[in-house]
Amino acid sequence: MSLDPEICWRAWTARDARFVGRFVMGVTSTHIYCRPGCPARLPARRNVRFYATPAAAEAAGFRACLRCRPDRAPGTPAAAGTAATVARALRLIDDGALADGSLETLSARLGVTSRWLRELFERHVGAAPLDVARTRQAHLARRLLEETALPVEDVAAAAGYGSARRLRAAFRQAFQRAPVTLRRRRAHATEGALTLRLPARPPFDAAPTLAFLAARAIPGVEEIRDGAYRRTFTLEGRAAILSVHAHGDGVEVRLPAHAAAAVPRVLARVSRVFDVDADAPAIKAWLARDPRLARALRGRVVRVPGAFDAFEAGVRALLGQQVSVAAARTLAGRLVTACGAALPAPDQTLTHVFPTAAAVAAAALEKLGLTRSRAAALRGFAAAVADGTLDLGAFRDLDDAVTQLTALPGIGDWTAQYIAMRALAEPDAFPAGDLGVRHALARNGTLPSERLVRGRAERWRPWRAYAVLALWTEPRKTAAPKRKVTS
């Protein structure tokens, strides 16, 4: 990605933190790269180079500054990939695709050749896929060393190095220091638990997301307790519970120590659930050009609450067809009780993990109160995921996702777009036929047709999913109290 060096330099000399995440600066005299607003002494102009992402800077031979922590900056369109293929590749890398397989395997899932994928990464990210994976792996290991009490051997395993020796070698290359030196810098750690922070692009208010999740929390699997999102999940057949606590600048993720190997996947999924990487003010500025959305967004910004698990979100979308949010939640609770695995040690209301695709495909779904057609659609979706016919992480783009999903019996455009919006984090997903959206756009009590809604939404692209959330969550006006008439 090309950057204008002079504009970057002006932002840098002003120490404008609003540019955090948009680029990083490498200093050739120290071989260190920083993010805007770093308190370090200003270097000479001739000694600086600008890069779109930390991965690109590290591929050029720079190492991260330990004062401003540029690797912790929230993601950007450049980092997330401006091409849909790159965005999906980065998502799969976050989920461990290159830790569990080769570049060729990742390319096959995306439907491209490994050579073409490398070219796309060089164009949009500025570094090769393996360089991006190594950068994220090294910085994850550093965070685990600094913020947890895990032994070095466990950190190496959790970050995917396999051995402490490989971890030490990677740290010498990336940070030019031994892992133990970072462990000495760690201020504190909680024994028996992992606590990691995820920064969010400001302004960040988790309350709307928590309210959205609370209304849809699946009984036995999710809950909002004391202002925190808590849920169950499984790792290699072992159940665990995570909790996410919101702060003014992001969220704090807490896991049991035995779930260390799940850290990369959990952090990636929590990031999507709370949409921490969204440039909410920029999205609002774009959408507010429509007067109707300007009213809906007055005094607030919106983020699209993601889903922790794509299959779980797909099941929820199918259960929610033509029923209320509360009814879909009730049906999801029955499904969990019927075929979800029970926790060995329930934690108050958290009692089960969400059932696997194979378990749902084999369940007697009609006994849960589903119609025969709805049960058949849910069974078909689960079977396609279970046998690998449908890979929820490897769609080429939004159109490909909608095409593949609607090819399954019982899945229409609304369901496919909802899955894309929440499970796949598609910012432009748009269920045009949604009744709530049509009501919000009604004039004089007349609902617009789906065709008219689609036409109007063209000006909202590429952020139509955010427009949907703005209309869904628009504060309702309360009727003014009637004046008491006195004689």
Side-chain angles (χ1 to χ4, degrees), residues 211-222 229 231 305-336 354-355 360 370 374 377-378 381-382 392 410-411 414-416 418-419 422-423 472:
F212 187 94
L213 296 174
R216 295 158 177 80
I218 299 173
V221 175
E222 303 172 290
Y229 172 68
R231 68 161 295 127
F308 187 82
D309 180 81
F311 172 69
E312 180 182 300
V315 170
R316 175 58 191 253
L318 282 162
L319 294 176
Q321 291 176 341
Q322 300 178 346
V323 299
S324 67
V325 170
R329 183 173 180 268
T330 298
L331 291 172
R334 293 176 185 171
L335 179 68
V336 167
F354 196 81
V360 174
L370 297 176
R374 189 73 49 80
L378 181 53
F381 171 72
L392 294 172
I411 296 184
W414 181 92
T415 305
Y418 184 86
I419 293 172
R422 294 204 56 212
W472 278 354

Side-chain angles (χ1 to χ4, degrees), residues 242-253:
L242 71 88
S243 61
V244 184
H245 299 256
H247 298 279
D249 58 351
V251 296
E252 184 179 84
V253 184

Side-chain angles (χ1 to χ4, degrees), residues 342-431:
L343 293 180
D347 184 345
Q348 297 186 37
T349 61
L350 298 181
T351 58
H352 292 72
V353 293
F354 196 81
T356 63
V360 174
L365 300 175
E366 291 82 359
K367 295 181 179 180
L368 305 180
L370 297 176
T371 63
R372 184 175 301 176
S373 60
R374 189 73 49 80
L378 181 53
R379 188 177 293 112
F381 171 72
V385 173
D387 64 20
T389 304
L390 182 68
D391 186 344
L392 294 172
F395 299 118
R396 290 190 301 276
D397 52 30
L398 175 59
D399 290 339
D400 181 48
V402 172
T403 298
Q404 289 197 47
L405 288 168
T406 54
L408 296 174
I411 296 184
D413 183 74
W414 181 92
T415 305
Q417 295 284 351
Y418 184 86
I419 293 172
M421 182 170 66
R422 294 204 56 212
L424 309 180
E426 283 288 351
D428 204 35
F430 185 60

Side-chain angles (χ1 to χ4, degrees), residues 85-297:
T85 300
V86 175
R88 280 158 185 77
L90 288 167
R91 193 175 303 147
L92 292 173
I93 289 172
D94 278 340
D95 285 337
L98 290 181
D100 301 333
S102 65
L103 181 61
E104 285 67 27
T105 303
L106 173 61
S107 303
R109 291 186 68 183
L110 296 167
V112 299
T113 65
S114 58
R115 178 179 178 180
W116 179 237
L117 186 61
R118 283 192 293 267
E119 290 182 7
L120 287 179
F121 265 70
E122 291 293 344
R123 180 190 308 169
H124 294 289
V125 182
L130 291 175
D131 289 331
V132 172
R134 281 192 287 265
T135 296
R136 297 186 178 196
Q137 186 179 28
H139 289 298
L140 171 63
R142 191 179 76 180
R143 292 180 63 183
L144 291 173
L145 284 166
E146 291 181 333
E147 300 179 22
T148 76
L150 286 175
V152 173
E153 292 76 11
D154 291 345
V155 170
Y161 285 105
S163 70
R165 180 183 60 81
R166 291 181 58 193
L167 173 64
R168 295 186 185 98
F171 265 58
R172 282 194 297 270
Q173 180 179 358
F175 307 121
Q176 297 185 359
R177 62 179 63 209
V180 69
T181 61
L182 295 176
R183 174 51 53 86
R184 293 193 186 113
R185 294 169 62 90
R186 179 173 48 83
H188 68 278
T190 303
E191 296 292 342
L194 306 176
T195 301
L196 296 162
R197 294 180 69 89
L198 282 174
R201 279 185 175 275
F204 179 70
D205 179 10
T209 299
L210 289 171
F212 187 94
L213 296 174
R216 295 158 177 80
I218 299 173
V221 175
E222 303 172 290
E223 68 172 359
I224 305 297
R225 186 195 301 175
D226 299 328
Y229 172 68
R230 303 177 73 246
R231 68 161 295 127
T232 62
F233 69 101
T234 56
L235 173 68
E236 297 178 352
R238 186 174 182 181
I241 295 175
L242 71 88
S243 61
V244 184
H245 299 256
H247 298 279
D249 58 351
V251 296
E252 184 179 84
V253 184
R254 299 177 186 174
L255 293 166
H258 69 77
V263 165
R265 294 172 177 82
V266 167
L267 293 183
R269 294 182 182 193
V270 170
S271 293
R272 291 197 289 271
V273 169
F274 286 86
D275 199 15
V276 298
D277 292 338
D279 192 344
I283 295 171
K284 176 180 178 178
W286 178 264
L287 296 179
R289 299 189 306 174
D290 184 312
R292 179 65 187 88
L293 291 181
R295 294 201 308 272
L297 289 167

